[in-house]
Amino acid sequence: AAMAAKAGVTYVHEAATGAVAGVKEVDLLHHAFAQQGFAVRGSMSLWGENLQDFTAAGIVPGSGDDRLRSQTVKWVSDGSNQGYTGYMRENYLGRDSRGVANFTPEQLADNFAKTVAAQWPIMCHANGDAALDMVMDAFAATAKLPSWDPAKRHRIEHCSLLHDEHIAAMAALGVTPSFLMNHVRLWGRVMRDEILGADRAQLLDRCASVAAAGLRASFHCDFSVSPIAPLNYVATAAARTMADGGEVLNPGERVSVAQALRGSTIDAAWMCHADGLVGSLAAGKAADFVLLGGDPLAHQDDPDAVRDIPVLATYLDGDEVYSA
């Protein structure tokens, strides 16, 4: 929490609650977040494998308080592309493997059906393009059920390698993406040259295309997969500069700095069902805000400079929780 506050974060999303110790993780996290001086507020995505146990414990969507709420149920359809376990349509470069699917299509659709029957929003991890094929098929099947509600803000986490047909299907169903933006910067060159090849690397984190389709996207770090640094996500979404070599990965997918800021503020809050509380400064919302040593909007012509803006202070409920 202190690390997040130092990076200018006031709200975090814990994306696998209950995966290790089951239901008691919910009580443990509520206890931690309620401590005097705890530097962030947030929400949880409950581990889908234990959905029945959470239901039996009386946990429903929105359970908790303004410090911490249970908001979504998490399913993991595949692995990671950098780990060669993301589920791909075609083999990885130089390997006789296209990764791993964690469920059959039928199993995943059944998991989604159970989730919406219990009135939960779905948060599904998907990296490879074959995983996204399976996930979108499962969403399409679930959308035909009486319990489907597109207003639940169902989301795909990472949503790494998007084809045009995935974006069209997401727009039709109202399913939104959250991008692990640091991967463009930290892994882009390796993805292009060693893991995927030049053509498939163009599919990584297609921010401009999803915006053009009318979708709201958020950005995350998947800590500890990559560092907590929202100004880095903003800079990368707007510049798409790869750290290794300084080239730009698919410049057509760059967005404006203003649009990228939304992905780490109000659009991220909306995706976490918290936009009535955080994500923008307005009367009636929490006094959670960050003081920066520069204006990100002044760097539209050089968005890489946004990542170097210092965080001077972070406030939660009007109280200073970090000072440089």
Side-chain angles (χ1 to χ4, degrees), residues 36-57:
Q36 183 70 29
F38 198 76
V40 294
R41 70 175 84 242
S43 54
M44 297 175 285
S45 194
L46 307 182
W47 194 242
E49 303 282 359
N50 296 326
L51 177 57
Q52 186 173 349
D53 294 336
F54 291 119
T55 301

Side-chain angles (χ1 to χ4, degrees), residues 94-169:
R95 294 193 173 218
D96 186 22
S97 168
R98 58 189 188 99
V100 180
N102 292 335
F103 303 101
T104 67
E106 294 76 17
Q107 287 170 335
L108 189 64
D110 182 61
N111 290 335
F112 281 15
K114 290 188 295 188
T115 304
V116 298
Q119 301 301 307
W120 285 95
I122 295 166
M123 174 182 178
C124 188
H125 160 124
N127 278 309
D129 52 1
L132 280 155
D133 291 340
M134 182 172 62
V135 168
M136 291 316 303
D137 285 346
F139 271 122
T142 309
K144 298 176 182 178
L145 301 176
S147 51
W148 171 259
D149 180 1
K152 290 288 188 182
R153 307 177 192 179
H154 305 289
R155 65 194 271 189
I156 301 177
E157 202 71 1
H158 314 323
C159 210
S160 296
L161 300 177
L162 282 171
H163 292 274
D164 289 346
E165 60 267 29
H166 296 140
I167 297 172

Side-chain angles (χ1 to χ4, degrees), residues 15-297:
T17 305
V20 177
V23 174
K24 60 186 176 184
E25 289 185 28
V26 173
D27 290 337
L28 177 65
L29 286 173
H30 276 292
H31 178 75
F33 275 69
Q35 297 303 300
Q36 183 70 29
F38 198 76
V40 294
R41 70 175 84 242
S43 54
M44 297 175 285
S45 194
L46 307 182
W47 194 242
E49 303 282 359
N50 296 326
L51 177 57
Q52 186 173 349
D53 294 336
F54 291 119
T55 301
I59 300 171
V60 298
S63 289
D65 54 37
D66 284 347
R67 298 292 293 196
L68 182 67
R69 293 190 185 277
S70 299
Q71 293 289 22
T72 61
V73 164
K74 173 79 171 289
W75 296 100
V76 179
S77 71
D78 69 340
S80 72
N81 299 116
Q82 69 272 23
Y84 296 97
T85 52
Y87 188 43
M88 300 294 295
R89 293 179 179 180
E90 298 178 358
N91 287 347
Y92 287 98
L93 288 183
R95 294 193 173 218
D96 186 22
S97 168
R98 58 189 188 99
V100 180
N102 292 335
F103 303 101
T104 67
E106 294 76 17
Q107 287 170 335
L108 189 64
D110 182 61
N111 290 335
F112 281 15
K114 290 188 295 188
T115 304
V116 298
Q119 301 301 307
W120 285 95
I122 295 166
M123 174 182 178
C124 188
H125 160 124
N127 278 309
D129 52 1
L132 280 155
D133 291 340
M134 182 172 62
V135 168
M136 291 316 303
D137 285 346
F139 271 122
T142 309
K144 298 176 182 178
L145 301 176
S147 51
W148 171 259
D149 180 1
K152 290 288 188 182
R153 307 177 192 179
H154 305 289
R155 65 194 271 189
I156 301 177
E157 202 71 1
H158 314 323
C159 210
S160 296
L161 300 177
L162 282 171
H163 292 274
D164 289 346
E165 60 267 29
H166 296 140
I167 297 172
M170 291 170 69
L173 294 172
V175 175
T176 52
S178 184
F179 292 124
L180 209 176
M181 280 312 307
N182 287 342
H183 268 24
V184 169
R185 181 160 180 82
L186 301 179
W187 285 91
R189 202 279 305 165
V190 175
M191 290 283 193
R192 184 193 66 188
D193 297 347
E194 301 179 30
I195 298 174
L196 300 173
D199 290 342
R200 289 187 294 184
Q202 302 300 302
L203 303 174
L204 185 64
D205 295 347
R206 297 180 62 191
C207 300
S209 292
V210 300
L215 295 171
R216 301 173 79 161
S218 70
F219 306 136
H220 64 271
C221 65
D222 205 22
F223 184 80
S224 58
V225 170
S226 76
I228 302 172
L231 291 174
N232 197 2
Y233 327 152
V234 171
T236 299
R240 295 185 68 91
T241 305
M242 297 182 286
D244 186 356
E247 299 173 79
V248 174
L249 181 66
N250 197 347
E253 293 296 342
R254 292 180 293 197
V255 295
S256 69
V257 171
Q259 194 169 359
L261 277 170
R262 292 184 62 90
S264 285
T265 55
I266 190 60
D267 287 350
W270 175 86
M271 198 169 287
C272 292
H273 299 259
D275 49 314
L277 178 68
V278 298
S280 64
L281 292 175
K285 288 193 175 186
D288 299 354
F289 57 94
V290 178
L291 297 182
L292 301 179
D295 179 5
L297 296 175

